[in-house]
Amino acid sequence: MTRTPDATGLPLGVMQGRLSPKVEGRYQSHPQAHWRGEFALAASLGLCCIEFIVDTPSLGNNPMLRPGGADEVRAVVEESGVRVLSLCADCFMDLPLHDAAPARRDQAWELFGRLLESSARVGVADIVIPCVDASSLALDAGAPARLAEVLRQAAPLARAQGIRLALETDLGPSEFAALLAGLPAEITVNYDIGNSAALGFAPGEELAAYGDRLSSVHVKDRLLGGGSVALGTGAADFASFFAALAATKFRGPFIMQAYRDDEGLAVFKRQLEWFAPIMSGWLQEQGERA
């Protein structure tokens, strides 16, 4: 699944908030006070896109949910040239689409409808649905079936808006592939390099199982069974990842969701300098093989 970067250069973007100080100490969150300024920063760094975040703390004032907010985002996109190709719906970790309680599933469904509408207005291609941590699929035997039921209803709505629903899960390769096998093509995969490394999964096995459904990549490094660390210092095997990725049609964009400190920008720049040449070299190799 191929994306076309805009004039800013490489098909590389950043997770919202990584270019700003932490919000109330949270590691990842929608930067309410800084989100507009991040677009100019991203453009200055040569990034093609920002992955927007909709998390629980921002539900009351996130531009992707408030009236007229999508038009605000579009205006910033047009001014900066930095697009919003993906939206990370972290809110579905606290309120899963596959919640065991029907009333909570209904609440999540209503929120999904609002996000789908605003995403279409902004030009989002992928809504990333995290099914990890509080919304884990691996820790609840009934969760995959409940999620599949909801996604079969969601797929035609997403298709009508030209949007994919990219799942990030904690399922092993065979279990994740089995879930995807029964779902429409609009249901794709968000591959998080660091999270897979922390779980001890092998990139070759994962991408062999479902690489044809890959539509989004989060660039991160983590310790095995532990937290985020600077790119290249954890358990993530970037060489194996890119070797396995060569067998897919995915060419980006890659979203930098890498380790952050309290301030964000300086540590991001150091990791961008580490990763961009690796990605650029890989893309060049793929072009030469084509």
Side-chain angles (χ1 to χ4, degrees):
M1 296 184 180
T2 304
R3 305 284 198 286
T4 302
D6 61 12
T8 54
L10 292 172
L12 182 61
V14 59
M15 180 67 69
Q16 197 179 46
R18 286 308 200 270
L19 306 180
S20 304
K22 284 183 180 178
V23 178
E24 298 178 355
R26 293 192 294 272
Y27 195 82
Q28 177 165 300
S29 61
H30 169 70
Q32 184 61 44
H34 303 284
W35 72 265
R36 293 175 181 83
E38 284 197 333
F39 280 80
L41 276 172
S44 73
L45 293 169
L47 302 173
C48 76
C49 58
I50 286 178
E51 184 164 307
F52 225 82
I53 293 174
V54 176
D55 55 354
T56 300
S58 73
L59 289 180
N61 199 31
N62 194 296
M64 294 298 287
L65 292 172
R66 67 171 180 256
D71 293 332
E72 292 179 44
V73 177
R74 286 178 61 187
V76 177
V77 166
E78 291 173 5
E79 179 180 358
S80 66
V82 175
R83 300 167 66 189
V84 177
L85 296 175
S86 52
L87 180 148
C88 188
D90 280 351
C91 52
F92 292 136
M93 287 196 288
D94 297 320
L95 186 67
L97 286 163
H98 55 278
D99 198 282
R104 284 174 55 81
R105 288 202 301 274
D106 289 344
Q107 293 176 37
W109 181 255
E110 189 273 337
L111 179 56
F112 167 74
R114 294 168 63 194
L115 287 179
L116 191 63
E117 180 179 355
S118 61
S119 294
R121 289 188 60 80
V122 169
V124 167
D126 287 273
I127 296 177
V128 178
I129 301 175
C131 300
V132 296
D133 299 328
S135 59
S136 170
L137 296 182
L139 298 179
D140 180 348
R146 293 195 302 271
L147 179 63
E149 181 180 357
V150 173
L151 292 175
R152 289 188 191 101
Q153 299 175 52
L157 303 178
R159 183 187 313 126
Q161 301 289 1
I163 292 175
R164 290 176 292 264
L165 307 179
L167 302 180
E168 178 188 345
T169 84
D170 53 1
L171 295 174
S174 60
E175 292 83 4
F176 197 179
L179 172 63
L180 292 165
L183 295 173
E186 290 76 22
I187 311 304
T188 60
V189 173
N190 166 253
Y191 186 86
D192 188 300
I193 301 172
N195 288 356
S196 284
L199 290 167
F201 297 150
E205 294 180 15
E206 292 177 294
L207 297 188
Y210 49 72
D212 59 328
R213 301 286 282 262
L214 193 66
S215 71
S216 177
V217 168
H218 286 168
V219 179
K220 183 192 301 176
D221 202 346
R222 288 179 60 181
L223 300 173
L224 179 63
S228 291
V229 293
L231 296 180
T233 67
D237 186 343
F238 287 90
S240 293
F241 166 72
F242 277 112
L245 194 66
T248 75
K249 296 180 180 179
F250 184 81
R251 297 294 178 266
F254 301 83
I255 302 297
M256 294 279 287
Q257 195 189 22
Y259 171 80
R260 64 156 304 140
D261 57 13
D262 288 343
E263 294 305 315
L265 184 56
V267 71
F268 176 83
K269 288 181 177 179
R270 290 196 295 271
Q271 292 178 100
L272 178 63
E273 290 175 358
W274 184 89
F275 180 74
I278 294 173
M279 186 198 69
S280 180
W282 180 82
L283 288 169
Q284 182 176 349
E285 289 179 3
Q286 303 320 300
E288 291 171 353
R289 292 173 183 171

